[in-house]
Amino acid sequence: MKTTIFLIVLFYFNAIEGQNKWDKPNYKQIKKDCSNIKSNFYYDSLFARYLRADTNINLDEKRHLYYGFQFTKKYSPYGEGGHFNDSLRSVMKLNELTSLDYRNVSIYCDSLLVGDPMNLKYLSMQANVFRKMGDSSRYSITKFKLNSVIDAILSSGDGETEKSAYYVIAVAHEYSILKILGYEYAGKQSLIGTNDLLKIKENENNLKGIYFDVTSSLTFMENLFKKNK
């Protein structure tokens, strides 16, 4: 499925369009909002709207949706794919996919997205499959989910400095965002404070790398260490 990358970029530019401002997420406030049943940001209600692709969700709600996920029981910054991930990789190695392969990719992605519902890679793969299958309804829903996550991340910074890092709640999202922006990973990563710096190959913007704030991942691992100590 070599066309997947092209489709990802297409989605990303659709999401980027019109975004000129960014604002760091306030995790303490987001957690408070998402736990308030009377709030428009109450997480169960917000997530239900996400699943049914409610196009009335605004940017602030998308930010609460994405960043609020880290406060749910399902959250893991590294995901848990198991044999579904292995099965998906096996299919993706094929040069040509049959209609059965497309259906299988959709099924594997569905299973993976249950525990990792905002994984940009899986959402993009699934959207591509629905497009190939001519399933316009599920394609639109999945594209909406994909763009909602992208909108939230891109609203948090520009990634060019430590102070303007993109905020992400999962490690895998860093590499997907590089593709969003049209950059190619140079194979080197450094942790600087709470920022992950991914080195990128030569580009027209003359950037050496893109910064990602990984406070969510670090906090999760710290709490996990304390729990198992």
Side-chain angles (χ1 to χ4, degrees), residues 197-222:
L197 173 61
L198 299 189
K199 294 292 184 178
I200 55 178
K201 294 184 178 180
E202 185 177 347
N203 56 86
E204 62 182 17
N205 294 321
N206 295 316
L207 294 176
K208 300 298 183 182
I210 299 297
Y211 292 87
F212 296 90
D213 186 288
V214 292
T215 298
S216 300
S217 301
L218 296 175
T219 300
F220 177 89
M221 296 307 297
E222 182 181 349

Side-chain angles (χ1 to χ4, degrees), residues 54-228:
D54 182 351
T55 56
N56 290 316
I57 291 180
N58 60 40
L59 181 57
D60 203 14
E61 291 169 332
K62 290 175 183 177
R63 285 165 59 87
H64 278 74
L65 176 72
Y66 176 68
Y67 295 113
F69 185 70
Q70 67 184 292
F71 304 116
T72 69
K73 293 181 180 179
K74 285 186 176 182
Y75 172 66
S76 170
Y78 301 100
E80 297 179 5
H83 69 279
F84 290 113
N85 224 333
D86 295 334
S87 299
L88 182 59
R89 275 196 293 266
S90 296
V91 176
M92 297 302 292
K93 289 179 181 178
L94 302 175
N95 290 325
E96 297 291 336
L97 301 188
T98 66
S99 57
L100 178 59
D101 291 326
Y102 285 135
R103 284 195 292 272
N104 284 337
V105 169
S106 174
I107 292 171
Y108 298 147
C109 285
D110 266 340
S111 299
L112 290 163
L113 288 166
V114 168
D116 195 5
M118 295 175 198
N119 186 295
L120 295 169
K121 179 181 177 181
Y122 302 146
L123 287 171
S124 182
M125 285 183 182
Q126 196 170 56
N128 195 23
V129 163
F130 292 147
R131 184 179 68 90
K132 293 281 189 179
M133 295 171 63
D135 191 332
S136 58
S137 178
R138 288 196 288 177
Y139 168 77
S140 296
I141 290 173
T142 308
K143 182 180 176 182
F144 166 83
K145 293 177 181 178
L146 181 62
N147 282 343
S148 293
V149 175
I150 294 170
D151 282 345
I153 296 173
L154 296 187
S155 74
S156 67
D158 61 18
E160 296 184 4
T161 68
E162 291 183 54
K163 292 184 178 180
S164 62
Y166 290 115
Y167 281 65
V168 293
I169 64 170
V171 175
H173 296 175
E174 299 175 35
Y175 300 91
S176 293
I177 290 296
L178 286 188
K179 291 189 178 77
I180 292 173
L181 302 171
Y183 297 128
E184 189 174 353
Y185 180 49
K188 186 177 180 180
Q189 172 267 345
S190 303
L191 184 63
I192 304 172
T194 60
N195 285 335
D196 238 354
L197 173 61
L198 299 189
K199 294 292 184 178
I200 55 178
K201 294 184 178 180
E202 185 177 347
N203 56 86
E204 62 182 17
N205 294 321
N206 295 316
L207 294 176
K208 300 298 183 182
I210 299 297
Y211 292 87
F212 296 90
D213 186 288
V214 292
T215 298
S216 300
S217 301
L218 296 175
T219 300
F220 177 89
M221 296 307 297
E222 182 181 349
N223 291 336
L224 187 64
F225 176 76
K226 289 179 180 178
K227 182 179 179 181
N228 296 328

Side-chain angles (χ1 to χ4, degrees), residues 22-34:
W22 46 269
D23 186 31
K24 297 178 182 181
N26 183 329
Y27 288 158
K28 185 177 181 179
Q29 185 62 49
I30 288 174
K31 182 178 182 180
K32 181 179 179 180
D33 292 341
C34 289

Side-chain angles (χ1 to χ4, degrees), residues 7-37:
L7 191 67
I8 287 174
V9 174
L10 176 62
F11 286 148
Y12 293 169
F13 279 115
N14 284 344
I16 290 172
E17 186 177 0
Q19 284 195 358
N20 298 313
K21 298 180 180 180
W22 46 269
D23 186 31
K24 297 178 182 181
N26 183 329
Y27 288 158
K28 185 177 181 179
Q29 185 62 49
I30 288 174
K31 182 178 182 180
K32 181 179 179 180
D33 292 341
C34 289
S35 62
N36 183 359
I37 196 170

